[in-house]
Amino acid sequence: MYGKFGELLGRELDIIREQGLFKEERILEGPQGAEITVGGATVVNFCANNYLGLASDPRVVAAAKRTLDEWAFGLSSVRFICGTTVLHKELEAAVADFLGTEDAILYAACFDANGGVFEPLLDQDSAIITDKLNHASIIDGIRLCKARRFIYEHADMADLRRCLAESQDAQFRMVATDGVFSMDGDLAKLSEICDLAEEYDAMVLVDDSHATGFVGATGRGTPERFGVSDRVDVITTTLGKALGGALGGCTAGPRELITWLRQKSRPYLFSNSLPPLVCGATLEVLRILREDPEPLKALARNQLRLRSGLRDLGFDVDEGDHPIIPVHFRRHDNDALLAQKISADLLAEGIYCIGFSFPVVQRGQARIRLQASAGHTDEHVDRCLAAFATVGRRHGAIT
Ligand SMILES: *Cc1c(COP(=O)(O)O)cnc(C)c1O
């Protein structure tokens, strides 16, 4: 039976390849870090979500090893049968404390946190109002839920107001947004979103995956950054980016809501517990964030040097201060080709970053996306800027 189906898949894969949309995976030949080895060459990595450089921090690795020795490898259970250890409870308390919420619940990934947050809370009498550019896991989580869905244009507060006005007959409403949008590194307008939500009596959920640990004065994320921590009802986030980068996710919020999720959230009830070593290492990450201001400072310094350095060279770079730095080619009509050629030549110069073009982003919006990390040294940043200067001039992107 598979024969014909396999042929069909083969043809579809060929089409994707012909369209240039086939995603090749680059294979790392060593650990994640500011420098990585690919194809036998060592290059500086500007495309990991390793914002705080903690993925290979010796303190985090040591904590994982200690926990592995003490707690062994796996739990072979979901949480409610025999998969909850004191480490899981400690980590949930530490995450809630860090995010300033009453409680938090762990998942295997933020994808699961978002997959399991809407369906238990909102039924057909409720409504979810969501930014058009929200992450795939929010979109999928909403699909699993019977609530009516209202989508507003990206960051368009007038359109959000329209959705709120049109959904007034719903019993409960929730506005769901990414705290930071990953393609441009732009922040959700959380103050305005909270104002509107308050005016229309809606709850607010923020997925802070690209913010937890490093956005806001002490890294508590976008609610801290906008001073709305007490007005955001629910936060979902990942342990797989700044917080050590292994895996895991969580939902943080008021006590009853989290308790309800423990009873009803399917990816929590029917999927395995996080490995103890991930809990132990993440507890160490949160300790580092409380006690060591250096990673946050280094990230801010590197972000600023990269962004202003690229602007000084004449590249088309938005203003902002998030470590996601998109380099646009909007002034050139061959933007997609430029982004592709420049990122390929940068790799040859030892700088690894990714070019995005249509259909991942809108036509004419091709860009190279850089991500700064606390793990980068001044020399890494200088090498990146020098390579951008050489390659950018070679291809006429700058003069
Ligand atoms: C990365 C990301 C996720 C997925 O996180 P995982 O823990 O890797 O599943 C969810 N939401 C947003 C906004 C993200 O950027």
Side-chain angles (χ1 to χ4, degrees):
M1 272 314 292
Y2 176 69
K4 276 192 175 158
F5 190 67
E7 282 167 30
L8 172 73
L9 289 183
R11 284 196 301 276
E12 295 290 329
L13 284 168
D14 286 343
I15 292 171
I16 297 178
R17 284 196 188 89
E18 278 158 27
Q19 291 171 334
L21 300 179
F22 191 85
K23 290 182 275 301
E24 297 286 353
E25 296 177 358
R26 228 172 263 285
I27 298 172
L28 273 59
E29 291 146 17
Q32 182 63 276
E35 294 188 9
I36 52 174
T37 309
V38 286
T42 300
V43 298
V44 189
N45 187 5
F46 285 95
C47 55
N49 301 314
N50 185 18
Y51 295 112
L52 294 170
L54 296 175
S56 54
D57 187 287
R59 295 168 291 184
V60 178
V61 175
K65 282 184 183 162
R66 278 199 308 274
T67 317
L68 183 63
D69 285 342
E70 194 177 334
W71 290 87
F73 180 58
L75 274 163
S76 299
S77 173
V78 296
R79 290 285 301 274
F80 79 94
I81 296 184
C82 55
T84 298
T85 70
V86 293
L87 285 178
H88 294 84
K89 296 315 289 178
E90 253 182 70
L91 179 55
E92 286 176 339
V95 165
D97 178 62
F98 185 74
L99 295 176
T101 59
E102 286 179 358
D103 200 358
I105 173 174
L106 296 173
Y107 289 86
C110 187
F111 209 105
D112 288 335
N114 286 332
V117 71
F118 300 107
E119 189 264 340
L121 297 178
L122 302 166
D123 63 11
Q124 59 278 1
D125 299 327
S126 300
I128 301 171
I129 300 157
T130 166
D131 188 292
K132 192 176 179 180
L133 292 192
N134 275 346
H135 189 265
S137 55
I138 296 183
I139 295 170
D140 285 9
I142 295 172
R143 278 187 187 146
L144 294 170
C145 160
K146 293 200 174 66
R148 280 186 295 152
R149 183 179 58 169
F150 293 80
I151 300 172
Y152 58 95
E153 290 298 320
H154 175 54
D156 184 337
M157 294 298 108
D159 207 29
L160 170 57
R161 183 184 282 282
R162 171 190 66 78
C163 292
L164 285 162
E166 285 178 7
S167 59
Q168 299 220 56
D169 58 332
Q171 188 185 10
F172 292 108
R173 286 179 293 170
M174 182 180 271
V175 180
T177 181
D178 284 24
V180 176
F181 293 86
S182 64
M183 278 299 133
D184 281 318
D186 57 318
L187 276 55
K189 297 171 180 167
L190 269 194
S191 308
E192 287 157 85
I193 290 173
C194 288
D195 287 348
L196 280 167
E198 217 159 87
E199 189 180 330
Y200 285 89
D201 216 10
M203 298 177 274
V204 175
L205 176 146
V206 175
D207 175 347
D208 238 3
S209 290
H210 280 285
T212 301
F214 60 96
V215 168
T218 64
R220 264 66 175 174
T222 54
E224 178 183 36
R225 164 70 178 263
F226 289 102
V228 295
S229 300
D230 53 345
R231 301 168 74 198
V232 169
D233 301 287
V234 185
I235 297 169
T236 62
T237 193
T238 183
L239 312 181
K241 292 188 168 106
L243 303 185
L247 86 172
C250 71
T251 300
R255 193 169 318 282
E256 311 78 38
L257 187 147
I258 301 300
T259 304
W260 184 255
L261 292 178
R262 287 189 208 282
Q263 300 299 313
K264 299 285 182 184
S265 180
R266 292 165 71 84
Y268 181 82
L269 288 169
F270 299 109
S271 189
N272 209 32
S273 293
L274 279 180
L277 71 91
V278 170
C279 299
T282 309
L283 281 165
E284 176 67 5
V285 165
L286 293 173
R287 188 198 64 75
I288 292 171
L289 291 184
R290 278 195 308 272
E291 294 173 13
D292 180 3
E294 196 42 48
L296 256 186
K297 279 193 203 156
L299 177 61
R301 183 173 69 237
N302 291 339
Q303 180 280 130
L304 181 65
R305 288 193 67 229
L306 259 181
R307 190 181 295 265
S308 54
L310 288 163
R311 288 169 74 99
D312 291 348
L313 285 171
F315 283 100
D316 181 5
V317 175
D318 297 333
E319 288 194 37
D321 59 12
H322 192 275
I324 293 175
I325 305 172
V327 181
H328 298 278
F329 300 96
R330 294 175 282 215
R331 300 184 214 120
H332 307 265
D333 32 83
N334 54 345
D335 64 312
L337 198 60
L338 256 185
Q340 192 193 332
K341 282 186 172 165
I342 291 179
S343 58
D345 281 12
L346 284 169
L347 186 61
E349 301 275 335
I351 302 297
Y352 184 30
C353 51
I354 292 283
F356 292 104
S357 55
F358 180 80
V360 179
V361 294
Q362 282 174 9
R363 231 181 257 284
Q365 293 283 318
R367 81 275 312 261
I368 291 174
R369 187 182 70 173
L370 293 172
Q371 288 170 286
S373 168
H376 293 135
T377 61
D378 283 351
E379 199 242 329
H380 289 142
V381 173
D382 291 338
R383 266 166 65 191
C384 179
L385 293 172
F388 261 91
T390 308
V391 174
R393 284 189 195 109
R394 184 185 301 155
H395 292 290
I398 53 168
T399 48

